Amino acid sequence: MKAETPRPAGSGFGEAIMVPVRLAMGLVDAPLRWVQRRLGIGGMAAFFLLPNMLIFGIFVLLPFFINFAYSMTGGTALFLDDRTFVGTDQYARLFDCSNYIDPNSCTEDTFWTAVGNTAWFVVLQVTLMILFSLITALILNRELMARSFWRAVFFFPVLLSPVVVGLIWKWILQRQGLLNFALYGFGFEPYTWLNDRNWAFAAAVGVSIWAHMGFYTLILLAGLQAIPKDLYEAAEMDGTRPARAFWRITLPLLMPNLLVVIVLVLIRAVQIFDEVYVLTGGGPGTSTLYLTQYIYETGFATQLRNPGLAAAASILMGMVLVVLTLIQLGLGRSSEKKGSRK
Amino acid sequence: MGHIKLTNVIKSFGAIDVLHGINLEINDGEFVVFVGPSGCGKSTLLRTIAGLEKPTGGDLAIDGKVVNDVAAADRGLAMVFQSYALYPHMSVRQNLAFGLENTRMPQAEIAERIAEAARMLEIEPYLDRRPGQLSGGQRQRVAIGRAIVRRPVAFLLDEPLSNLDAELRGSTRAELAALHARLSATMIYVTHDQVEAMTLADRIVVLRAGRIEQIGTPLELYNRPANRFVAGFIGSPHMNFLEGAVEAVHPQKAVATLVGGHRLEFPVAGATIETGSRITLGVRPQHISLGSGENSIPAKIRLVEALGSETVLHADVAGQKILVVAPGQHDLSPGLDISLSLSTAPIHLFNEKGLRL
Amino acid sequence: MSRIAAFIFRRKGRNGWHWTDIVTWIWLVGGLLIMFGPAVWLVGSSFKSPAALAEFPPTILPYVTQKATVEGYDKPLDLYDATLPDGSKAVLAEVRRIGVISQMVDPEKPGEIIKVNISQRTPVRTMAFATTNYTEPFTQFDFVRYLWNSVFVTVTATLITLVVNSMAAFALSKYEFRGRTFAMLLILATLMVPLSVIMVPLYSIVSALGLFNNLWGVILPTVATPTGVFILRQYMLTIPDELIDAARMDKASEWQIYWRIVLPLTAPALAVLAIFSVVWRWNDFLWPLIVLSRKELYTLQVGLSIYSGELNVQWHFILAMTVVTMIPVVLVFIFLQRFITTGIAGTGLK
């Protein structure tokens, strides 16, 4: 049981708020006692589980299964009943390329561009994200003044909405923006970064790292702090050099956390959309067009929308995510086991 | 009214049988203690009576009515839990009132009952505190108070003293006994501590591995344990058991050869004993005296515990351990050879299966 | 100063500087600039008038050139600190500029034109907060509606999330029943089905339920979060079962046990989930973008992104509204950060 802090009973405002809640909960009680008599105590478990299961069923499981049917149909009609069955045509269309190395040779060249962009994005973003958050976590794990302040500094952007993140950086990277101003001080000419294919891509990677790094730093920091301090003291007594202590103590003991973080970053990098969409809109051209945006635009936005094709693409992406999530759950479980063995 | 009758009650969790056909009748106003080592099923038995566990088989009747399908709340019982299970977010007063409010009792009567219980248990000064702000003993009183205000047909107490320190446990035990006398309600009390069982119970139910070993008053169990298990469990320090074989049987007494070769005479007192059968002789440590005599055995001292008022000797009789509690102080040291006299000791006889002869 | 520095840079148990100490401080100070800088820059910019926004190089704080109404001139004139040809200094108003020569007048003596080289004058600037950046979007555009929609979605979704998920967590932590493991696995499995994978069929289901262009269509698909169930269940497992038994002996119904015993004791975990939920729902973008196509239903996030995507972006309004959008989250950050960080460290989930 958690230690309970003594509170004076009945602090005015909180009590006032609770009155209607009490009333409502009390009113619900009478019919529920009747339900309980019908179902028995065990049956009440089903009652408590029901709302959640209904919502999961309708808004997650149902669409999940419908998605397969959807990807087998064509046309622009919304409801499954009205759609024409086309078999695996949508998948065939996605994979219709004359040269599998060149996305431009495919019928759905934007899909393959999005796949290529996403792959590149994932490789770059995940590597740099892990690197930066690991370094930050290691630094925050040192004996610092005001550690919680510094932790907050790096965590701050995590809470910002993707739209806000996108707009902040769009504003900084524009022609009259802060970046150009800073570089102007060093004698550089102003440049419209987001109109450059390569710089836009780099910006997408950088901004997404900026926005999410603090979250992973926090998990890694928690992992670092869970390493018993006496291990380092023992190593110091043995005359172990700090670098060796890092490789032989810190890294192995942090590995379970690190693996979980890597997979988490991967899962979210594959789905990258919001902040980049606001920042670049996928451009210039298709240089920052990623898979989720492709699915969104194919399914909803364009004049020639083709929900069936979007569904097929989303199933392909879903397969990748399922594999990654299973790996993560497996890692989580094995690290839990290790934890309990202590 | 608190008459409780169990008929062949069986409880199993999945494939594991915890209770094997319990038959028990508890009379109104009786203080019954379930005692046994941990895992013997005593808590499960209590929870089954409470209605928190549903029996797998058999019948449970309260005041003559079978209550197998009556919910815990509607059996009219109140329970005191080992961890007290006080609602940590409610004040003591709210803790006491919660159960009464659930029965839609008028506020005035609730207040009256709380005041009465608080007075009885001397917890009036703490009524507006939360459980987290109380000491262990105070919490324990509140837990009992929560049961009292319900005016139940029977109190169920699940090891209520096990979280208190030794001194407090002693005084609270006495208060519980006084409370029972005052309320004269049926109380069923679960403990693994045989001292609590002996001091509190009108009747003790000794359980082992889901079976009742013996039911009886504390002194019945002490003086005439039905089997070796009960004999060993009741009484402190536990009874000594000496293994041997019957050598000769006479009308009033018999002679046994102990493992190791010593011969010992013991009264038969009507038991049927066959020559040559294996036998266990049970002697309480307090009944053995130091000194040689006609019915004495040699022993070697292993350990001496001087407690001041008495001296506990751990000794060895040809490989069998024996414990002796000798009143007063004795100048003895380990390694010494002594002689133990059993001439005046009541000797309990158990057969090969451990049953009393 | 040096004592303060010594205090800040003090390192426990060791004297002298190691190279890692230098890296640490470079990293931290750099982090401070990169992480907070953009937000500070945003807030500063949001108070600038369109003219100040177009300036290059920009200033951090919002400055405008002071103007003065001078007799004989219709429009207010810009004021400058000018060095006169005789070397004296004065505050003059510029009438017009011809090449490198500025024709100026003294506001006190409007008749007399003074010619000054433009390198000899600097504008008189004062700080001015363009609060109209904030007021106009609310009065002339639909941002009040967007704000209200966002608040409605966030509050409603959070309340439903708390109730629905705590009920499920209660069932999964305090009852033994057939299919419990199955239910747990089912909830776990939904982790694998993010919005980006099911948005096309989900859209058709939400439409079939008549929730397209309806704020409830934004709310309902989000309220049953597996993360919420897990956080709450984990916490409820620490509540002793004897407490539930005691309540049952006290004639409490299961519903009463849920809301009078278990919910109050789960308050810390509920608080964490509530904070998470508020941040998630406030920040949601893709799903509202799909479900809401009528302007008056936009949430702040959708409204902002649509406005910022228009051809002639009115940055001064966009920046101000971005700040407004940021405010609740910053408040959460300032006051409730501790809850969040312990929540994340404890569950490893977001």
Side-chain angles (χ1 to χ4, degrees), chain A residues 25 29 32-33 36 52 56 63 67 79 136 142 145 152 159 161 171 210 215 271 296 300 314 317 325, chain C residues 8 20-21 24 27 34 45 165 168 194 196-197 203-204 224 253-256 259 283 289 301 329 337 350:
Chain A
M25 293 296 205
D29 188 45
L32 284 182
R33 274 183 190 264
Q36 187 180 329
N52 205 305
F56 271 138
N67 212 8
F79 297 117
T136 312
R142 294 172 59 115
M145 284 290 301
L159 295 180
S161 83
W171 174 240
W210 180 82
F215 177 70
Q271 301 177 61
Y296 166 66
F300 304 98
S314 71
M317 182 164 110
T325 312
Chain C
I8 291 174
T20 53
D21 297 328
T24 296
W27 192 271
I34 291 172
S45 301
N165 290 334
S196 49
V197 173
Y203 174 75
S204 78
S253 66
E254 299 303 298
W255 176 255
Q256 270 182 312
W259 88 267
N283 289 348
L289 185 68
Q301 313 286 350
V329 170
Q337 197 233 126
K350 191 195 179 186

Side-chain angles (χ1 to χ4, degrees), chain B residues 231-274:
Chain B
F233 196 80
I234 302 290
S236 171
H238 65 78
M239 186 184 279
N240 295 302
F241 295 110
L242 297 169
E243 309 287 341
V246 180
E247 191 186 278
V249 183
H250 307 292
Q252 285 304 313
K253 56 186 179 182
V255 180
T257 315
L258 300 181
V259 176
H262 301 294
R263 297 176 78 240
L264 201 61
E265 257 181 33
F266 54 91
V268 175
T272 44
I273 297 171
E274 283 170 32

Side-chain angles (χ1 to χ4, degrees), chain C residues 94-249:
Chain C
E94 185 177 72
V95 179
R96 69 176 74 83
R97 190 181 135 188
I98 302 164
V100 295
I101 301 300
S102 168
Q103 297 187 351
M104 311 188 97
V105 292
D106 189 334
E108 304 298 316
K109 290 173 280 181
E112 184 189 341
I113 297 275
I114 307 162
K115 289 184 178 169
V116 181
N117 190 298
I118 57 165
S119 62
Q120 298 294 311
R121 63 157 175 69
T122 50
V124 176
R125 315 250 284 163
T126 51
M127 260 217 275
F129 292 93
T131 47
T132 50
N133 289 354
Y134 285 84
T135 51
E136 270 185 45
F138 283 124
T139 52
Q140 294 180 12
F141 300 92
D142 274 339
F143 271 90
V144 174
R145 268 230 84 85
Y146 303 166
L147 182 64
W148 163 248
N149 291 340
S150 271
V151 169
F152 176 76
V153 167
T154 304
V155 171
T156 317
T158 299
L159 287 179
I160 300 178
T161 299
L162 292 180
V163 173
V164 168
N165 290 334
S166 63
M167 280 170 70
F170 176 53
L172 292 173
S173 61
K174 291 297 168 201
Y175 291 92
E176 295 281 344
F177 56 92
R178 266 188 308 130
R180 187 168 88 158
T181 325
F182 177 72
M184 289 286 294
L185 283 177
L186 200 66
I187 293 173
L188 202 65
T190 58
L191 277 174
M192 279 184 255
V193 193
L195 175 64
S196 49
V197 173
I198 54 166
M199 60 181 159
V200 178
L202 183 57
Y203 174 75
S204 78
I205 286 171
V206 166
S207 299
L209 293 173
L211 297 176
F212 177 65
N213 263 330
N214 185 327
L215 290 178
W216 288 99
V218 176
I219 295 168
L220 287 178
T222 61
V223 293
T225 76
T227 313
V229 175
F230 284 118
I231 292 179
L232 295 177
R233 176 172 177 269
Q234 220 54 35
Y235 199 88
M236 286 179 185
L237 286 174
T238 67
I239 297 175
D241 289 344
E242 278 203 345
L243 227 47
I244 313 287
D245 288 337
R248 286 200 183 123
M249 297 295 290

